[in-house]
């Protein structure tokens, strides 16, 4: 143990990661090297926590003074938000969190980094968002946080497409309330495909046989195309975008940016500040 974790000692703090299942989570192996590089004596450890025991587990961990925070993945993001002392504006609007910072007094501060992680992950392509006409497919889960971040970046119009009309309505109303005007709309069948930015925030491309709704011949070189579903394999959407010469971003861009933000939050920095 000393050879694999040489700096683990009585002053070490834990960043617990709750999920059900939890075997698939990438946070520990991605974030621990960031902690080490920044000389932070914090270690991320996964815990398999079922919904039945989520509240009890939360209560136990929340009273541990050497807890740096808690990361949550499915299905705990909404339940965790309800138990936080404070929420960032994004987390409050969406009603979910994916990272919680424990204060010295035991208070629990929740944040949601899906949206800002997506924005930071775009790198220089982020500049394309100002005034852009954006189509986002997928209006639930991470899509809501991304929608919030997009309107903060000043997109001109956000069209939302999802099989669940209730998810579209929730996301539309949420971001329009945030910006104070109508910038988000449900995408209609007669709208066409004349967009500057296309985002896949749905499982299309990695799950099932569904095809992305935008025809490949409608993707142009001037577009920015992002697909957060693309982690291990290139999706058909990204392949078409690259063939067309469009700028692209995949789920790994978002994940890497988000992990750095989560690391900063766990280390006690303000939400939205990268550790390195």
């Amino acid at each position: 143990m000393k050879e694999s974790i040489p700096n683990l000692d009585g002053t070490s703090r834990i960043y617990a990661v709750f999920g059900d299942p939890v075997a698939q989570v990438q946070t520990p192996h991605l974030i621990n090297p960031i902690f080490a590089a920044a000389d932070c004596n914090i270690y991320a450890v996964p815990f398999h926590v079922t919904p039945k025991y989520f509240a009890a587990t939360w209560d136990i961990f929340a009273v541990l003074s050497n807890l740096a925070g808690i990361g949550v993945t499915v299905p705990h993001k909404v339940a965790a938000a309800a138990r936080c002392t404070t929420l960032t504006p994004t987390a409050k609007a969406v009603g979910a969190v994916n990272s919680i910072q424990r204060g010295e007094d035991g208070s629990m501060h929740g944040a949601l980094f899906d949206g800002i992680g997506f924005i930071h992950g775009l790198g220089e392509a982020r500049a394309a968002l100002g005034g852009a006409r954006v189509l986002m497919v997928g209006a639930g889960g991470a899509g809501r946080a991304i929608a919030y971040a997009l309107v903060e970046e000043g997109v001109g119009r956000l069209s939302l497409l999802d099989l669940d009309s209730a998810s579209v309505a929730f996301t539309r109303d949420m971001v329009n309330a945030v910006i104070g005007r109508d910038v988000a709309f449900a995408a209609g069948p007669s709208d066409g495909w004349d967009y500057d930015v296309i985002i896949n925030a749905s499982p299309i491309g990695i799950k099932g046989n569904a095809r992305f709704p935008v025809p490949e011949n409608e993707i142009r070189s001037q577009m920015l195309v992002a697909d957060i579903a693309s982690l291990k394999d290139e999706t058909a959407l990204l392949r078409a975008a690259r063939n067309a010469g469009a700028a692209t971003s995949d789920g790994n861009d978002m994940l890497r940016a988000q992990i750095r933000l989560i690391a900063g939050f766990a280390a006690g920095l303000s939400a939205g500040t990268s550790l390195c």
Side-chain angles (χ1 to χ4, degrees), residues 1-83:
M1 178 63 73
K2 272 291 184 182
E3 292 179 1
S4 60
I5 314 180
N7 300 319
L8 185 65
D9 58 29
T11 65
S12 299
R13 293 190 295 154
I14 298 299
Y15 183 72
V17 181
F18 293 175
D20 179 31
V22 79
Q24 82 288 353
V25 299
Q26 301 185 60
T27 299
H29 82 86
L30 291 174
I31 205 170
N32 281 327
I34 297 175
F35 289 143
D39 200 26
C40 285
N41 196 4
I42 302 173
Y43 298 88
V45 182
F47 293 88
H48 187 179
V49 180
T50 64
K52 179 179 179 180
Y53 295 109
F54 174 78
T57 306
W58 174 286
D59 290 343
I60 291 170
F61 274 79
V63 298
L64 300 178
S65 59
N66 68 334
L67 183 81
I70 299 173
V72 290
T73 185
V74 291
H76 303 310
K77 292 184 177 184
V78 173
R83 301 184 70 84

Side-chain angles (χ1 to χ4, degrees), residues 54-178:
F54 174 78
T57 306
W58 174 286
D59 290 343
I60 291 170
F61 274 79
V63 298
L64 300 178
S65 59
N66 68 334
L67 183 81
I70 299 173
V72 290
T73 185
V74 291
H76 303 310
K77 292 184 177 184
V78 173
R83 301 184 70 84
C84 287
T85 309
T86 67
L87 296 170
T88 60
T90 306
K92 186 175 182 180
V94 176
V97 298
N98 65 352
S99 184
I100 301 96
Q101 180 190 86
R102 186 187 187 276
E104 291 184 3
D105 60 356
S107 55
M108 303 290 275
H109 308 287
L112 183 63
F113 293 114
D114 290 327
I116 189 172
F118 172 81
I119 298 296
H120 284 202
L122 293 176
E124 293 181 358
R126 177 179 182 176
L129 297 177
R133 298 160 299 167
V134 181
L135 171 68
M136 186 168 71
V137 178
R144 292 177 180 176
I146 292 172
Y148 187 103
L150 288 170
V151 298
E152 286 199 316
E153 287 293 299
V155 300
R157 180 183 176 96
L158 175 60
S159 298
L160 302 166
L161 191 60
D162 195 294
L163 291 176
D164 185 353
S165 59
S167 291
V168 170
F170 178 94
T171 304
R172 177 199 63 206
D173 294 346
M174 176 194 69
V175 298
N176 287 343
V178 167

